[in-house]
Structures are given as structure tokens and as C-alpha cells.
Amino acid sequence: MYKRQPIPIAPEIVREHPTEYGFATHVFVNPEEGNNMTVDMFKQNIDLLASKGQKWIRFNIWGSETASKTDTGYALNEENLAKYDEVIDYARSRGLDINLIGNTPEVLEDVPHEQYVEFTREYFTSLAARYKGKIAVWQLFNE
């Protein structure tokens, strides 16, 4: 199976574009979950973007990395959420506002409607409490 290799942003690309804009990207806290940027690559790109005057960054918080099924329902993955805490805090420390995209975790694909509604409420409420005051724009259910 072909996997695309992640490539950090090339400095020449950033130089060619106006800096009053932000940047949309992806980060995976567990590289085996996907083929985009690792936390370290994400931080390198944050440094480059901030040095060129970018104002914001837009990225996903992946449900497949932040929640999983259990015998009694679901559980948040605190270890992975701590990695998202790290990248959010890092981007903020470099002066970037964050546009965070959140989708309902895949653990809800085959659950009854009532359980879906309850889990969705609890999931997004927990994210909102965790990142209160840190996220400039929340975008739920991208596509």
C-alpha cells in the first residue's frame, strides 16, 4: 500500500505568499494513525510560519486519536489529548491563533441515536472545557 511521505513546509513557499493569512494543515499525535505531520514536524512548521508573520493556523483534532470504544461506551485518550495540548500551547506560544476542527470520533459509527447524541455532547463539552480560552475559532463537523 502506498503511503505519502510527510514533507515539512519549504521556506521558499512561505516567502512567496503574503503573511497576513493563516495556514491550514494536519498533525497526527500518533504517526502510525496517518501519513501527515508528526508533532515535531508540526512544531518546525509553526516556527517557520510564525517567523514569517502568519497570524493563525487551522488543523484537526482527530477523533480516532482522542477517543475509543470501551466495554461500557467510550473513553477519552488522555495520553493523546496531552499531545494535542502540547501542539496547541506551542502554536499559541509562537503567537498564532488557532482554528480547531473537530469531528465526532469514529467510535460512534454503529451506535444507537441516543448514545450518539449523548457521546457527541460529552465529547465536545470536554474539548471545550479543556481548551477554553485557547481556541480562536471552533469548526465542528468539517465536511
Side-chain angles (χ1 to χ4, degrees):
M1 176 176 160
Y2 173 77
K3 275 195 148 186
R4 179 173 53 96
Q5 293 299 312
I7 301 171
I9 299 170
E12 60 274 6
I13 292 173
V14 176
R15 280 193 292 272
E16 294 172 8
H17 298 281
T19 59
E20 65 268 15
Y21 300 106
F23 193 81
T25 189
H26 297 286
V27 62
F28 285 86
V29 298
N30 286 317
E32 67 274 10
E33 294 285 338
N35 56 6
N36 282 318
M37 276 191 255
T38 65
V39 170
D40 289 336
M41 289 175 72
F42 183 83
K43 287 181 175 182
Q44 290 171 9
N45 284 338
I46 291 295
D47 289 339
L48 178 61
L49 293 169
S51 74
K52 301 301 179 188
Q54 295 290 312
K55 303 298 182 199
W56 55 267
I57 190 156
R58 176 183 182 254
F59 61 95
N60 296 64
I61 187 164
W62 298 102
S64 62
E65 294 189 325
T66 57
S68 58
K69 284 186 180 180
T70 66
D71 292 338
T72 59
Y74 76 94
L76 294 177
N77 185 324
E78 288 298 327
E79 181 179 339
N80 285 350
L81 282 166
K83 293 176 185 176
Y84 278 105
D85 296 347
E86 179 183 350
V87 298
I88 287 169
D89 289 343
Y90 191 80
R92 288 175 40 85
S93 77
R94 300 291 285 143
L96 296 174
D97 286 336
I98 297 170
N99 177 333
L100 190 65
I101 304 166
N103 293 312
T104 304
E106 291 79 6
V107 298
L108 296 179
E109 290 177 352
D110 298 318
V111 299
H113 178 73
E114 296 79 21
Q115 190 177 359
Y116 175 88
V117 170
E118 180 65 16
F119 177 87
T120 300
R121 183 187 62 75
E122 290 177 10
Y123 179 72
F124 286 115
T125 299
S126 69
L127 290 180
R130 184 180 202 106
Y131 298 120
K132 183 178 181 178
K134 294 184 177 186
I135 306 301
V137 176
W138 287 89
Q139 181 179 342
L140 304 182
F141 301 103
N142 183 40
E143 296 146 7

